[in-house]
Amino acid sequence: MSRQDTSEIGFDLFDRWGNLKVEYIEHRVKKGSAVWGAELNEGHILLIEHINVVKDFQRKGYGKKLVEDIWAKAQAIFPQCKFAITRPTWLWSPIRAHFDSLPEEAREPYLEGLQLASDHFWRACGFRRIGISFFFGLAKDPAHPSHTLAAPADPRRRKIHQSLKMSKGQQQPYNEAMVVGDDAMALE
C-alpha cells in the first residue's frame, strides 16, 4: 500500500471525524454484506500495507502465518487494537517486466487476475470487505459478524478498470479503480 493508498483510508473509508462513512453502513448497495458498522469508530486499527512472500515460498501457508503473527503481535503490544485493515493489492516491482511484455489487450485481464488472487489471499486470512470499498477488515472479537461471513459470500467488485497511464518516475500504474455499472449491479 502506498502513501496514496494509506491516505485513501482516511478519505474513502472514514469521514473527517474518523468514523466509518455512513454510506458503508446504511446505503442499500454500498454497505455490501453489512457486517461492518460503527464499531470501527472505536479503538485502534492495525493497518497492514504490504505482505511479501518470496516466490519459492508462496502458496505454502507462509503468508497467512505471517499475517496471523503480525496480528497477534499487534494485539499483544496494543491490547486496545480491535481491528486490522488492508487494501488488497500486489507489489509492482516483481511483475513489471512481465506486464511490460504483455500485449495491450492482455494487460487489464492480467491485473484483474492479480487483484482476484490478492482478494482471495486476504479472505483466506479471515479479512472481509468493508462495504463495497477497496478495503478489507479483520475484527479481534470472535463474535463480530464478519467472522460468520463465508469467503464466497463476501462482496466482490464487479468490473474494475485500471488506468495504466504512467507518469515520468512513477513506480506503478495509477491504481484508481472504479465500479462500472449502476449500483444495483455493483456486486456479483
Side-chain angles (χ1 to χ4, degrees), residues 10 46 55 73 80 116 142:
L46 169 68
K55 189 170 180 107
K73 181 125 183 164
Q80 65 276 34
L116 289 172

Side-chain angles (χ1 to χ4, degrees), residues 36 40 83-86 126-130 135-139 146:
W36 297 101
L40 286 171
F83 303 98
I85 293 179
T86 192
F127 285 70
R128 297 296 179 262
R129 188 178 301 278
I130 300 171
F135 299 97
F136 284 39
L138 178 67
S146 64

Side-chain angles (χ1 to χ4, degrees), residues 51-66:
I51 297 293
N52 187 20
V53 177
V54 179
K55 189 170 180 107
D56 291 344
F57 295 97
Q58 291 176 358
R59 302 192 183 276
K60 296 179 181 173
Y62 293 113
K64 184 176 179 182
K65 177 71 172 137
L66 184 59

Side-chain angles (χ1 to χ4, degrees), residues 12-133:
D12 293 345
L13 202 55
F14 296 100
D15 64 21
R16 67 183 185 180
W17 297 282
N19 297 319
L20 183 63
K21 286 186 175 178
V22 174
E23 63 206 55
Y24 293 123
I25 300 171
E26 298 177 358
H27 188 273
R28 68 181 180 84
V29 173
K30 291 181 182 179
K31 67 182 177 181
S33 60
V35 297
W36 297 101
E39 71 277 5
L40 286 171
N41 303 342
E42 302 294 328
H44 293 271
I45 295 173
L46 169 68
L47 173 62
I48 301 176
E49 292 187 350
H50 296 288
I51 297 293
N52 187 20
V53 177
V54 179
K55 189 170 180 107
D56 291 344
F57 295 97
Q58 291 176 358
R59 302 192 183 276
K60 296 179 181 173
Y62 293 113
K64 184 176 179 182
K65 177 71 172 137
L66 184 59
V67 170
E68 290 169 354
D69 289 351
I70 290 169
W71 182 227
K73 181 125 183 164
Q75 291 179 58
I77 295 171
F78 301 102
Q80 65 276 34
C81 185
K82 297 180 180 182
F83 303 98
I85 293 179
T86 192
R87 179 178 178 181
T89 188
W90 59 88
L91 292 176
W92 183 245
S93 55
I95 64 148
R96 176 68 188 258
H98 178 69
F99 178 82
D100 288 344
S101 72
L102 293 173
E104 192 68 35
E105 64 276 2
R107 290 179 174 187
E108 186 175 334
Y110 177 71
L111 292 178
E112 287 177 359
L114 290 174
Q115 187 64 55
L116 289 172
S118 184
D119 290 356
H120 178 78
F121 168 77
W122 288 104
R123 285 188 180 103
C125 293
F127 285 70
R128 297 296 179 262
R129 188 178 301 278
I130 300 171
I132 61 161
S133 74

